[in-house]
Amino acid sequence: FFSSFALHIHPLGMNTIHSTALENDPNIHFDPYLGQSLADIYQENCHAQGIEVNPTVAQIFDGQQKSDLCSLDVSNVGLGLKGGAVLLDTIMDCTALEYLNLSNTSLHPDLTRDIVATLTTLQSINTLDLSHNRLLGDLTARHLLNWVKGNGQLRS
C-alpha cells in the first residue's frame, strides 16, 4: 500500500504527496493549495478570473492558511460580482472559519448559489453578516433561510 506514495519537494518548499492510485479515488480529496497562504490563493484566483487583486483583501489574507482561518471581516470592501465570486472561491473549505462578515461589500444577487455553496463547506460557521448589501434580494434571502434552517450552530 505505502509503495504507491511518493513525496515531492517543490522549489518553493511545498510538499505534495502524490499517488496515482489514490488520485483516482472519488472518496479522497486532494487540496491543490496545501501549504499556500490564502493571499496567494486569492491572487491566483483573481488572475484566473481576469480581475485585479484587491489590496485590502490580499492584506487580510496575508499569512493565513485555509485550515487556520477562524474569522474573516471584509466589510466595507467593494467586491461586487466578480470580486465576490473570487473571495467565495478562496474561502471555500476553510473549515475552521467561525465568523464571516461580508457586510456592505456590494455583493450581487447572481452570487446567491456561490454564497450558499461556500457556506455549506464552512463547517464551523456560527456568525454571518450580509447586511447592507442592497442588491441581495428576496431570492437570496430565501436561499439563505433554507441554509440557516439546516445549520444549527449559526448565531446571527
Side-chain angles (χ1 to χ4, degrees), residues 42-43 46 51-61 77-79 83:
Y42 170 71
Q43 290 174 5
C46 285
I51 66 168
E52 287 187 35
V53 171
N54 182 310
T56 303
V57 176
Q59 184 178 25
I60 291 168
F61 282 146
V77 176
L79 297 174

Side-chain angles (χ1 to χ4, degrees), residues 55-90:
T56 303
V57 176
Q59 184 178 25
I60 291 168
F61 282 146
D62 190 37
Q64 298 283 339
Q65 299 286 318
K66 274 190 174 237
S67 60
D68 300 331
L69 185 68
C70 295
S71 177
L72 179 61
D73 184 345
V74 290
S75 60
N76 303 310
V77 176
L79 297 174
L81 177 60
K82 289 184 177 184
V86 167
L87 179 97
L88 292 168
D89 188 44
T90 301

Side-chain angles (χ1 to χ4, degrees), residues 3 11 18 20-21 23 34-35 39 41 45 50 54 57 75-76 112 123 127 129 137 144 151 155:
S3 64
H18 176 75
T20 49
E23 284 177 352
L34 185 66
I41 296 168
N45 289 343
N54 182 310
V57 176
S75 60
N76 303 310
T112 299
Q123 301 165 357
T127 305
D129 187 348
L144 289 172
N151 185 337
R155 292 188 311 198

